[in-house]
Amino acid sequence: MVEIETGTILIADPFLKDPNFKRTVVFLCDHEPAGSFGFVINRKHNTILSDLLPDLSGCDFPVYYGGPVQMDALHFLHQRPDIISDGIEVANGIFWGGNFETVSVLLQNNTLKQNHIRFFIGYSGWGEGQLQDELKEKSWLTTKGNKKLVFHRDENLIWQDAIKQIGGDYEQIIHYPIDPTLN
């Protein structure tokens, strides 16, 4: 387990009951004493980018459910600072935000690939001390954020792969049922 900081991955405990975070993985883009902010990276939303932005007609990039806060806001993470300016590097090679006009042009001319960028509707947020309390309650496991997890090709494997990254005895929980009372 790693110390919580910007760029940390939060892995939901297998028995976490909150439906917003059941078996989720959250990438923290900002962590400060006043609060934390990040995106669920392993849950696709039921829409594609062109549904939200008609100017990007035909762009079938998936949109991910970033979290339950501000569901009317679109955010993005990318790994292309060479062509997308003004992003904030959150972890090694992972950038949050940037010039959206540039992103729009890059999408329209098919320069950006799906493994370069992830779009999120909403975000996950914690107020002062809230995330620390959830960590004390053992609601989350932690590991270092990296491009392999954040831009994983199969969102259905991110939770398991994040736990495998921790290693050791934690790998056993991959096989735990969602509701142990049903066994």
Side-chain angles (χ1 to χ4, degrees), residues 50-124:
S50 61
D51 292 340
L52 299 174
L53 302 170
D55 289 350
L56 295 174
S57 175
C59 183
D60 63 353
F61 281 34
V63 176
Y64 291 80
Y65 168 80
V69 182
Q70 224 175 37
M71 292 291 295
D72 58 349
L74 185 68
H75 303 270
F76 63 96
L77 296 173
H78 67 89
Q79 53 182 332
R80 294 299 307 268
D82 56 319
I83 56 177
I84 302 172
S85 63
D86 304 326
I88 298 168
E89 189 168 24
V90 177
N92 188 24
I94 304 170
F95 293 80
W96 168 34
N99 185 314
F100 193 78
E101 287 180 28
T102 300
V103 169
S104 183
V105 169
L106 293 169
L107 290 168
Q108 289 170 353
N109 67 24
N110 295 317
T111 303
L112 278 176
K113 305 297 178 217
Q114 285 188 28
N115 64 329
H116 296 160
I117 193 164
R118 289 284 188 272
F119 294 93
F120 302 90
I121 191 158
Y123 68 89
S124 302

Side-chain angles (χ1 to χ4, degrees), residues 1-72:
M1 299 257 269
V2 299
E3 185 69 27
I4 298 294
E5 61 186 7
T6 296
T8 297
I9 292 273
L10 302 175
I11 307 161
D13 176 84
F15 305 120
L16 184 64
K17 299 287 189 221
D18 183 337
N20 291 305
F21 296 106
K22 187 180 287 185
R23 300 264 169 136
T24 60
V25 177
V26 177
F27 178 66
L28 286 181
C29 293
D30 192 25
H31 176 72
E32 299 187 17
S36 303
F37 168 96
F39 303 109
V40 173
I41 60 173
N42 67 325
R43 188 176 290 166
K44 278 188 182 172
H45 196 269
N46 59 1
T47 191
I48 59 174
L49 194 58
S50 61
D51 292 340
L52 299 174
L53 302 170
D55 289 350
L56 295 174
S57 175
C59 183
D60 63 353
F61 281 34
V63 176
Y64 291 80
Y65 168 80
V69 182
Q70 224 175 37
M71 292 291 295
D72 58 349

